[in-house]
Each structure stands twice: as structure tokens, then as C-alpha cells.
Amino acid sequence: MFTESGTQSPHHVVIIGGGFGGLYATKALGSAPVKVTLIDKRNFHLFQPLLYQVATGGLSPGDISSPLRAVLSRNKNTEVLMGEVTDVDPEQKTIKLRDKSLSYDTLIVATGVSHHYFGNDQWSEQAPGLKTVEDALEMRRRIFLAFEAAEKETDPEKRRAWLTFVIAGGGPTGVELAGALAELAYSTLKHDFRNIDTSEARILLLEGMERILPPYPPELSAKAQASLEKLGVMVQTNTLVTNIEGDRVTVRRGDQTEEIPTQTVLWAAGMKASGMGAVLQNCAGAELDRAGRVIVSQDLSLANHPNIFVIGDLANFPHQDDKPLPGVAPVAMQEGQYVANLIKRRLQGQTLKPFRYFNYGSLAVIGRHAAVVDFGMVKFSGFLAWLTWIFIHIYFLIEFDNKLLVLIQWGWNYFTRKRGARLITGAEALPEVEVEVPDTYQTTVKV
Amino acid sequence: MFTESGTQSPHHVVIIGGGFGGLYATKALGSAPVKVTLIDKRNFHLFQPLLYQVATGGLSPGDISSPLRAVLSRNKNTEVLMGEVTDVDPEQKTIKLRDKSLSYDTLIVATGVSHHYFGNDQWSEQAPGLKTVEDALEMRRRIFLAFEAAEKETDPEKRRAWLTFVIAGGGPTGVELAGALAELAYSTLKHDFRNIDTSEARILLLEGMERILPPYPPELSAKAQASLEKLGVMVQTNTLVTNIEGDRVTVRRGDQTEEIPTQTVLWAAGMKASGMGAVLQNCAGAELDRAGRVIVSQDLSLANHPNIFVIGDLANFPHQDDKPLPGVAPVAMQEGQYVANLIKRRLQGQTLKPFRYFNYGSLAVIGRHAAVVDFGMVKFSGFLAWLTWIFIHIYFLIEFDNKLLVLIQWGWNYFTRKRGARLITGAEALPEVEVEVPDTYQTTVKV
């Protein structure tokens, strides 16, 4: 058994992924008599719940990111490695990173999920998702370029297509994007253009199910839809995207199909597990669900592999109210802390009772001063819900030093309706299409 | 003659470039009885003097940028166009943008300068410059990746090369970059790594002339060098970069040459005029200086073309103290305001006396609390100069709503020595090189 003063090398916990799950596990092990190695492809933790604010010019990437090394600099037992894990060997207790391998005593896999297109990967070109900083900057680029292109467009139909924004997916991300876009078009940008009236922009939120925010109670879904419609968003439920091509989206409602001319499609629909799910299936016989998430035991470990844990969005924890826990930050945080505690207990020859998720509630924000909150017993919406949402997000940002900045920027945005971070950047990297323009001139807009 | 209530269309002023010169001209014409069209390739004004803060993770691009449309939304006589001017026809009084043309009555060209490599454009791959947001993010990426690579490197020589940062050019940009890098390596990152001691990093500032900040008085150059050396920067004057290749820089001092092994070269040396200089030479016989800048008349117009003005970094104004005015923001602002006033006077059948630049002074900041200030009569350095620098930059940022954010972030950086915006982003776009790494593992770092 490991002892701190012992001669043998300390118990080595390797954590893959610096999201909410991996980061909270790492922090919780900071004082434990173990050696921790946190591996991530990026050098920063990303506060993903606010990524939609970057995509709509409200915040800068730096405001919602924290360098992993800075967050963990005081954890002297922790090493941060920038790299990508390609394989795991449970027998040898090693992981493979490109051309080198690293041994572990306990492995925590928290590599999360990415968006996907239900087998239509060709859509990714026209309809970017929202998982990474690069995704958000690409969305931001397209949103603001669409207004620029509309300003130059003479053909009314084409202009209408530039001013039509389609958001595929009525989950929290889609709802928050739609609300932010409505603010942008109907208040922030109102006085910025000369040839177009941005309030003519159409923002369509498409949801395949019969209501938006499906995981929420029906009455909150209804409130959310009402709030969005009040902001000017057109909510279309029972509406499936069947094709995205060129400058149009094809949708199906029941047995009717419709073509929506648009230049801007934002993808907030599909989700698929990161590649580590398949890796664990191959090497450790892990059972995966339809989305490729790893079905974990009651202590979040793999069946027959008590020293391999899967937490966060990548984990499917089915042992509570039958359905898997939602892929939200609080679940990942609690799972990370649970596994950290379990490891500490095991080092003392003890164990922990099965993991239970305590649901503090769910929130989604809808534009400038509306949100919906579901605290189980308590459900409410509107301005109070919005304040709650702000408070909770700021509260969790405290961890990462950015609280003050974001508060200032939000306060500024709120009172001035301005969005300072509306930069169109990195255009070079993208293909060019011709845009017709009025008597002013014709130019090439990258989209 | 134009009259506001007249039937003829208003006098049309076309301004090319939304930097300090173009933006200040546009604002000064906001109340004039003219139609203004501001054309820029980007949709935002960039506060270039702080770009080095983005390159070193102190600020986010959004903090030092302002959407041109937002800054000018209240100027109802002003139209903003995102586009690129390719040619000018002084006879027809039209400009060409890709496939369309636009007519003007008065043309103001303020397209500035870009960095260049004295005919060694192949250096741009290894040694990025610092003129655009993309440049700054690329520098940021390389700087922080260099520390990551050093952390993984076992070979002491290679590690030393990763921890050697060479800045070519001892002007304000080079000096400010060197100071910020020293802070980064010697305080901000000190506790963030486990395998390397970031205080072993070497920061070399190379200047070809006999002193840094050549445009400043000698005593301030000396003070600046002393401050930099106090911060740990190695200042090498009379040192010319003769080659940049692979992982080394070749320099010449007198008749001695030296090879400096390094993975990170930051270019702050050369400057060349934007392409509009050559365009004006071809179409209007404009006289260019060696850097390609347009030599302008005493009223900033082109000889024989009284309705074509060139302002800002692109202009060479030789009529004051014999030598051309420096390429700094205050010169551009004053030139923009002068031309705006001259246009208003001309509309009233009057004119203005020749342009005179009033030099409020020059500043350069050196790290956390040192700077040099030259107010002509008054010259000082150290903490007071630093405060002055902060105040003046914040003051000019007020124009652009970002003052509070930057102040907060600076306050934060100053008191905590943290730099929150240390994101390594956009790596995908870049070539891969193998990095040797310790018993941990080997991975591929993009550099």
C-alpha cells in the first residue's frame, strides 16, 4: 500500500481532458498523496457554457478560457501535459500518446463529446457547430459577414437569404444562440448599416422534437418559446433538417418538406462521443450507448476495470432515474470530485458508496433579460431567472479569474446593448464566394 | 459650389483605411455637409499600439478593437464598406474595388504600412511580424507553444533553443515585446511548469543601429536599455540579422557573425508602405520614398492632385524639421483632422494654412512599471513614465468603449502578474514538427 513517506513511487493518476470533469478531479486531488498528470490537447480550460457569447461578439475567447497551468500552478503534485492520447493498454496500465507511452495506476478519461451531423459530415462546411474556440470564432465570422454581405446585396431575394439565420437544434445552446442573435439583429446592430434594416433579419430556431429544451419540464419549454418569440425568434418545432446545401436548408415537418433560403446555418443539434469511447471499447471492452458514450458502473469505473474511470459528457451514468445524466457542467464537476474522493479512500483501503448526482437545477438564458430555471421543486423564468443565470455563471467563473472581466463586459453589453468583440478574423483560411453588390461596388466576401 | 439644400448630390469624400488617420478624418467629417464613404478590408478599427499585449497574452483582440460600424453608427452622413481598393482613376475621379468602381469628389488614402523583411520574404515563415490581429495571435501561439515544447524537451541544447526568444528590431514595438516577454518568462509563468525553469529563458533584443529607440533622444534610449536589462532582457545593438533559417538566427556585429539557436523569432524591424503607394505612383505620378511611402505636399495632398490626400503611416510629410514625421498614431490623428478641416474650408471657398504636427511627446513602455517618455522639453522614465503611458493609452481607448475592460485587465495583470489570454489557438492551420520529450511521452507540437 502506498504511504507518503514510503520509498515506492507515489500512486500515479492520469487524467485525460481538462474540461469541467477532468479539471475538478485534478483540483480535488491537489492535496492528495498522489502524482497527477493532466493531459489535454489544448493549453486552456474552456468555459463552454458561455461559448455562444463569443460566437455572437459579446465576449472574447480569453474571457471564458483559463490556462490550465495557471489554474493548477499551486498543485505541486500535478503535471500538465499538452498532447493527444491515441490508445490505452489496461493490462500494462499505460496510455499511448503519439510515439511515447505513459504508465498510470488510475486512469480518468474525461474527453467529452463533439457535435456531429447524424452521418451528414458534408454539412459541417455550411453549418459550423459550437464546441471549440475556433468554432465560436468561425460562427462569429459568418454571422457578422452575413450582415456585411446583406448591406452590399441589391437582389432582394439574395439579401433576404443573407439576413436569414437558421439555428438547427432547440437545446440550451440553440436557444441561447437564438436569443443572442435576436438581440444582435434587433437592437445592437440597428443603427450600424445604411442599406439594410437589420430588424428585417429572420432568426429561425429548428427543433426536431415537439418542444424546445426537451430535457426541461414542458411548462418551461413553453415559457422559453414564448420569450424567444417575444424577442423575434421564429421557433419551429417538429421540424427536422433533412439537407443543407449551398444557400438553402431543407426541412421536413410531418410529411411536408420546405426549402429555406439562407446563407448562415448554425449547428446546435447533434452530439457524438469523443474517440476515447471507441478506444476504451476496443481495449477494455467498454459498453457504449448509441451516441458512443461509455456506460459506466455505479462508481463511474469501467466494468472489470476498477482503476479506469469515465466522467463528464463522455460518461453515460444510467443508475439514477433510469435515464443517463445530462451532459452539463455540474454533472461533470460532481463526477470529477466523486472519483477524486474515491481514489483517496481507496489509498486508505476504503471505498465510497455509489455516485449520486445532486441536481441543483437547470438553466437556459434567452436574450437580454429572460431565462428559464428548473430547480426541481422551484421552476421560474423571466428576469429573475436571468439574474440567477448570470449569478451562477459568474460564480463558477470565479474559479478562473475572469469573473470581473465578464461581469464588466456583460454590464456594458446589458446597459449599452453593445457587443464589442464583433471581429471578423481569420478569413484568409476560408473559400471565397462572389457577392452581388449595389452601385457601390462588388467585392469578394469569404464565407 | 455645393449647398446643403441644393439639388446636386453632396460632395462625396471617400476614405480608404479605418486606422487612426482614416477614422479620425471620418469622425471629423461627421457633422459636415458631405457624404462620407469609409472603406476598410476589416470590419473593425485596431488599436495597434497595444497589439503587443495581445501577442503576449495580456489582452484579447476584442479588447483593443472596435467595430467601425459601431464607432460611426451616429454619423448619418457616413457609410462603411468592407472591401479592398485595387486602383484609382484621378481623371474619372473613381476608385476600383475588385469588379466595381465608386466615384469620389475628394479621396483620402490612409492604408498605412505593413512589416517587411528587407527582401527576405522567406523569413516571414519563421519570424512573424506584428501588424494585424492574426499576426498577434500567431505570435501568442508561438510564444506559449515554445514553453510547452521546452517543458517536454530532454535534450538540453534543444530545450535552450525553445527557451530562446529573439526579437529583431529595437523600436517601440520590439522594446515593448521584449519587456512583456521578460515579465512572462521571469514572473507570470514561473510556477506553471514542472520540468523547466522559465527564468532560464533568454530574451534577446537585436537592434541594427547603435542604440534602441533610435527616434528618441540618446539619454532615453540608454534609460530604456537599462530598464530592459534590469528585467533580464539581453539588448544587442549594432547587431544586424543576416539570416533566419530553421532553428537559428544569424547575426552580424561589425565584421563578426554569430549563430543564435532559437525556435522563436519575433519580427519588429522592417516597415514597407501598403500597395496603395504604388497605385498612386502609377495613376497620379505620386513621388515615393525608399520605404514606398507617398511624399505629400504641405497640405497632405498629392502634387497636381489637390483632391487626393495621403495621411498616416503611408504619408511622408517632409516639410517639418526636415525629416519625415514618425509613423505613430498621434501624427495620423492630427493629419486626419487637418484634412477633414481643409475639406470643410474648401466647401466654403476657403483654405487652410499648411499642416503642422504638434508633438505631444513619444512614449514606450518597458515591462511592468517602467517606460520612457519624451515630451520635448520634458523627458523622464521609470514608474512615472509608465503611469503616463497607461493614462494616455487608456485615454485614447475611451474613444472605443474598451477603456474599462483594458483598465481592469491591466490592473489584474499588474497586481497578480497573471496573463489570462494565453490561449494557443488556430494551431490546425500550421505545419507540424516533431519534438523530443522526456520519459513522459512524445507528441507533435505545431510550430
Side-chain angles (χ1 to χ4, degrees), chain B residues 222-351:
Chain B
K223 286 218 175 85
Q225 176 160 351
S227 307
L228 282 171
E229 284 165 346
K230 195 157 155 247
L231 280 171
V233 176
M234 303 176 203
V235 179
Q236 301 185 353
T237 52
N238 295 309
T239 302
L240 284 165
V241 172
T242 57
N243 194 26
I244 304 173
E245 217 171 354
D247 57 358
R248 54 193 63 253
V249 174
T250 313
V251 299
R252 194 179 71 236
R253 259 180 236 89
D255 48 13
Q256 296 174 320
T257 68
E258 185 197 350
E259 285 209 331
I260 305 167
T262 175
Q263 292 282 1
T264 314
V265 186
L266 307 179
W267 191 257
M271 174 276 293
K272 80 163 184 299
S274 60
M276 282 305 291
V279 168
L280 292 175
Q281 184 179 39
N282 299 335
C283 72
E287 189 189 346
L288 308 186
D289 66 14
R290 273 177 52 252
R293 288 175 301 186
V294 177
I295 295 166
V296 293
S297 318
Q298 303 221 355
D299 64 358
L300 301 170
S301 68
L302 290 187
N304 315 321
H305 295 281
N307 67 330
I308 300 180
F309 296 92
V310 180
I311 60 174
D313 291 2
L314 181 62
N316 177 333
F317 183 83
H319 313 284
Q320 196 172 334
D321 340 323
D322 309 342
K323 60 174 196 271
L325 294 173
V328 296
V331 171
M333 295 174 183
Q334 289 180 37
E335 290 178 341
Q337 271 149 345
Y338 172 86
V339 171
N341 293 334
L342 179 55
I343 291 167
K344 291 184 206 167
R345 288 300 196 87
R346 284 185 181 175
L347 289 174
Q348 296 154 358
Q350 304 164 2
T351 184

Side-chain angles (χ1 to χ4, degrees), chain A residues 138-443:
Chain A
E138 174 58 14
M139 271 198 186
R140 185 177 76 180
R141 203 177 63 74
R142 294 189 184 212
I143 289 165
F144 291 104
L145 266 182
F147 287 103
E148 293 294 332
E151 171 81 351
K152 296 175 194 153
E153 181 59 70
T154 40
D155 178 317
E157 268 190 26
K158 289 183 177 173
R159 174 178 284 186
R160 189 172 167 79
W162 279 115
L163 287 176
T164 301
F165 299 87
V166 174
I167 299 156
T173 301
V175 166
E176 289 169 342
L177 267 177
L181 262 176
E183 271 172 45
L184 200 59
Y186 304 142
S187 69
T188 307
L189 298 181
K190 210 160 55 190
H191 305 296
D192 286 5
F193 293 85
R194 300 290 177 259
N195 303 325
I196 58 167
D197 173 0
T198 60
S199 61
E200 286 171 5
R202 299 189 310 153
I203 295 146
L204 280 66
L205 179 63
L206 310 182
E207 168 56 46
M209 308 246 212
E210 79 284 357
R211 59 189 177 92
I212 59 172
L213 299 177
Y216 287 58
E219 59 269 38
L220 283 189
S221 296
K223 285 217 176 86
Q225 178 161 347
S227 307
L228 283 171
E229 285 165 346
K230 195 157 155 249
L231 279 172
V233 175
M234 302 175 205
V235 179
Q236 302 184 353
T237 53
N238 295 309
T239 303
L240 284 165
V241 172
T242 57
N243 194 26
I244 303 172
E245 218 171 353
D247 57 359
R248 52 194 63 254
V249 175
T250 313
V251 299
R252 197 178 69 235
R253 260 180 235 91
D255 47 15
Q256 297 174 318
T257 67
E258 185 197 350
E259 285 208 333
I260 305 167
T262 176
Q263 292 281 3
T264 313
V265 186
L266 308 178
W267 191 256
M271 174 277 293
K272 80 163 185 297
S274 61
M276 281 305 292
V279 168
L280 292 174
Q281 184 179 39
N282 298 336
C283 73
E287 190 189 344
L288 307 185
D289 66 14
R290 273 177 53 252
R293 289 175 301 185
V294 177
I295 295 165
V296 292
S297 318
Q298 303 219 355
D299 65 357
L300 301 169
S301 70
L302 290 187
N304 316 320
H305 295 281
N307 68 328
I308 300 180
F309 297 92
V310 181
I311 61 175
D313 291 2
L314 181 62
N316 176 334
F317 182 83
H319 313 285
Q320 199 172 333
D321 355 312
D322 309 343
K323 59 176 199 271
L325 294 174
V328 296
V331 171
M333 296 174 182
Q334 288 180 39
E335 290 179 342
Q337 272 149 345
Y338 172 87
V339 169
N341 293 334
L342 180 55
I343 291 167
K344 293 184 205 166
R345 288 297 195 86
R346 284 184 181 174
L347 289 174
Q348 296 154 357
Q350 303 163 2
T351 183
L352 264 184
K353 58 176 165 27
F355 172 73
R356 297 286 298 172
Y357 169 58
F358 180 68
N359 184 0
Y360 292 94
S362 326
L363 300 118
V365 74
I366 304 145
R368 242 175 118 237
H369 39 231
V372 293
V373 172
D374 171 14
F375 285 166
M377 328 277 107
V378 194
K379 299 174 179 52
F380 56 106
S381 62
F383 186 66
L384 179 59
W386 182 79
L387 282 181
T388 312
W389 182 89
I390 292 276
F391 172 79
I392 288 177
H393 281 72
I394 293 290
Y395 174 81
F396 281 111
L397 271 173
I398 295 176
E399 290 268 8
F400 309 121
D401 309 335
N402 301 328
K403 179 188 140 230
L404 199 52
L405 275 179
V406 174
L407 194 57
I408 296 288
Q409 197 135 18
W410 274 351
W412 181 258
N413 289 341
Y414 183 76
F415 291 112
T416 65
R417 298 179 177 225
K418 282 185 182 164
R419 286 174 169 265
R422 299 180 227 163
L423 287 63
I424 298 174
T425 53
E428 290 65 34
L430 280 106
E432 300 190 343
V433 303
E434 287 298 312
V435 198
E436 289 259 25
V437 285
D439 70 319
T440 51
Y441 68 101
Q442 171 157 345
T443 186

Side-chain angles (χ1 to χ4, degrees), chain A residues 28-153:
Chain A
L29 287 168
S31 55
V34 297
K35 178 184 174 218
V36 180
T37 302
L38 175 64
I39 302 168
D40 197 288
K41 284 188 285 185
R42 313 305 298 263
N43 73 323
F44 55 90
H45 168 84
L46 179 64
F47 195 87
Q48 263 175 351
L50 290 180
L51 209 47
Y52 82 96
Q53 284 276 354
V54 174
T56 52
L59 293 171
S60 291
D63 301 332
I64 62 165
S65 309
S66 303
L68 285 169
R69 295 190 182 280
V71 175
L72 298 168
S73 59
R74 283 188 209 77
N75 296 24
K76 293 307 175 198
N77 69 340
T78 303
E79 181 178 29
V80 176
L81 287 178
M82 217 180 131
E84 190 166 0
V85 175
T86 56
D87 202 1
V88 176
D89 181 341
E91 274 50 53
Q92 302 298 319
K93 296 206 285 181
T94 58
I95 57 169
K96 205 152 172 298
L97 299 107
R98 309 268 184 187
D99 311 346
K100 268 264 183 177
S101 70
L102 178 62
S103 70
Y104 64 85
D105 296 307
T106 299
L107 180 66
I108 303 175
V109 180
T111 48
V113 297
S114 63
H115 55 271
H116 87 141
Y117 297 88
F118 308 118
N120 299 286
D121 293 349
Q122 72 278 11
W123 293 356
S124 63
E125 184 58 42
Q126 281 105 323
L130 190 59
K131 273 289 173 190
T132 68
V133 164
E134 286 78 8
D135 290 340
L137 295 181
E138 174 58 14
M139 271 198 186
R140 185 177 76 180
R141 203 177 63 74
R142 294 189 184 212
I143 289 165
F144 291 104
L145 266 182
F147 287 103
E148 293 294 332
E151 171 81 351
K152 296 175 194 153
E153 181 59 70

